[in-house]
Amino acid sequence: MTMLVTLAEAKAHLRIDDFDSDGNPGDDDLTLKIMAASRAVLNYIGADQYFLDSSGEPISTSAISLPDDISIATLLLVGDLYRNRDGDNTSGWSTSMLPTTVQVLLSPYRSPVLA
């Protein structure tokens, strides 16, 4: 699974001070949230094909340079998933749309671009 941001980037964004990667509590949960947010971003912009090599195998996002707004949108989603663990939808997500700020950041990359 493609992760558009690293665990360290997500921890910095969420202001989680413990950066020890030796099995800290919560790392697995946060990694799942990063993967879910990354998948939501890729689904929204229809860009899965951009993260596959010529044989259809996933490539590491560390091998490519992502635009900052895609990384920020992913971090915003990770933060939302982190804060709203119980799925109470207080962040205003609709059943088919991402939060407005995330949509604004991702709209230039959406394929096809919707005006």
Side-chain angles (χ1 to χ4, degrees), residues 67-101:
D68 290 339
D69 37 6
I70 291 178
S71 296
I72 292 167
T74 306
L75 289 170
L76 289 172
L77 278 178
V78 170
D80 195 77
L81 292 169
Y82 184 79
R83 282 187 306 278
N84 298 301
R85 288 182 187 91
D86 58 358
D88 64 1
N89 198 27
T90 58
S91 62
W93 289 40
S94 74
T95 56
S96 62
M97 299 302 278
L98 298 175
T100 303
T101 305

Side-chain angles (χ1 to χ4, degrees), residues 10-105:
K11 284 184 171 186
H13 175 74
L14 297 170
R15 292 176 173 70
I16 297 173
D17 293 332
D18 188 359
F19 286 92
D20 185 354
S21 62
D22 294 330
N24 290 318
D27 280 4
D28 291 341
D29 179 61
L30 188 53
T31 298
L32 286 174
K33 287 171 176 41
I34 293 167
M35 291 190 307
S38 297
R39 172 62 57 203
V41 165
L42 293 173
N43 285 340
Y44 185 79
I45 63 177
D48 266 345
Q49 68 274 13
Y50 299 117
F51 298 97
L52 301 177
D53 65 17
S54 59
S55 64
E57 293 297 314
I59 59 170
S60 168
T61 55
S62 62
I64 57 174
S65 178
L66 286 177
D68 290 339
D69 37 6
I70 291 178
S71 296
I72 292 167
T74 306
L75 289 170
L76 289 172
L77 278 178
V78 170
D80 195 77
L81 292 169
Y82 184 79
R83 282 187 306 278
N84 298 301
R85 288 182 187 91
D86 58 358
D88 64 1
N89 198 27
T90 58
S91 62
W93 289 40
S94 74
T95 56
S96 62
M97 299 302 278
L98 298 175
T100 303
T101 305
V102 173
Q103 290 181 56
V104 168
L105 289 168

